[in-house]
Amino acid sequence: MKLIPAKQVDLKKLEGFLDKNESVNKASLVRSGYVVEIAEEVVGCFSLEMLEDGIYWLKQLYITQQHASKLPVLLEAILTLAKQQQAKSVYVHSHQPVVDILLEALQFHPQKEKMFVDKYTAEEGNWWLYHVS
């Protein structure tokens, strides 16, 4: 599994992936995102946007259904990447109970405080925070 900055990926490969996954925001992906490549094929993506110094938001995390079993490994790789970028904390907004279970297993903490959550409101789902060490 390789994590490659989206702006460095072959445009044809990226377009092919985006054509099949229309819910992915291309502009955000190219600005601050990465693609997940397995066997030379783009199978997922995510954006890791810096909000403030040391505070990141993991957005539009997506992996194809046939590679969904690799999601725990992908999340750990993303946290390693965040650490390399000197992140102090990473926020995630989850829309799926299965992802909530996975985030809790990876030692993310549910967020109820209003500091971050009120700034970036979302109708449904849960906010999680991971303290990068």
Side-chain angles (χ1 to χ4, degrees):
M1 177 185 309
K2 291 192 236 173
L3 306 182
I4 305 165
K7 54 185 142 203
Q8 294 177 12
V9 173
D10 176 69
L11 192 57
K12 219 173 224 180
K13 266 189 196 180
L14 186 60
E15 292 291 343
F17 173 76
L18 292 170
D19 287 346
K20 293 180 212 158
N21 303 286
E22 295 174 358
S23 64
V24 174
N25 179 319
K26 180 182 177 182
S28 173
L29 183 62
V30 171
R31 182 178 61 251
S32 61
Y34 293 79
V35 298
V36 180
E37 219 179 61
I38 296 176
E40 302 296 316
E41 179 189 357
V42 177
V43 299
C45 66
F46 63 93
S47 292
L48 194 58
E49 291 189 14
M50 184 167 36
L51 301 173
E52 298 171 17
D53 189 36
I55 300 173
Y56 287 78
W57 183 0
L58 173 58
K59 298 171 78 173
Q60 55 179 2
L61 173 61
Y62 177 82
I63 193 161
T64 59
Q65 194 167 4
Q66 73 187 64
H67 292 92
S69 64
K70 294 189 175 27
L71 187 56
V73 175
L74 174 57
L75 275 166
E76 290 200 14
I78 292 168
L79 293 174
T80 299
L81 178 67
K83 189 174 187 171
Q84 291 169 353
Q85 294 181 0
Q86 262 102 87
K88 294 177 186 136
S89 54
V90 176
Y91 283 90
V92 178
H93 186 255
S94 166
H95 308 272
Q96 300 175 350
V98 172
V99 175
D100 287 341
I101 292 166
L102 180 57
L103 291 171
E104 190 168 16
L106 290 171
Q107 300 181 348
F108 278 77
H109 303 287
Q111 295 300 287
K112 302 288 184 222
E113 321 69 69
K114 302 297 181 193
M115 287 187 314
F116 181 83
V117 179
D118 280 354
K119 248 184 185 174
Y120 303 94
T121 56
E123 299 293 315
E124 299 172 17
N126 299 303
W127 283 101
W128 295 84
L129 172 63
Y130 182 85
H131 295 287
V132 181
S133 52

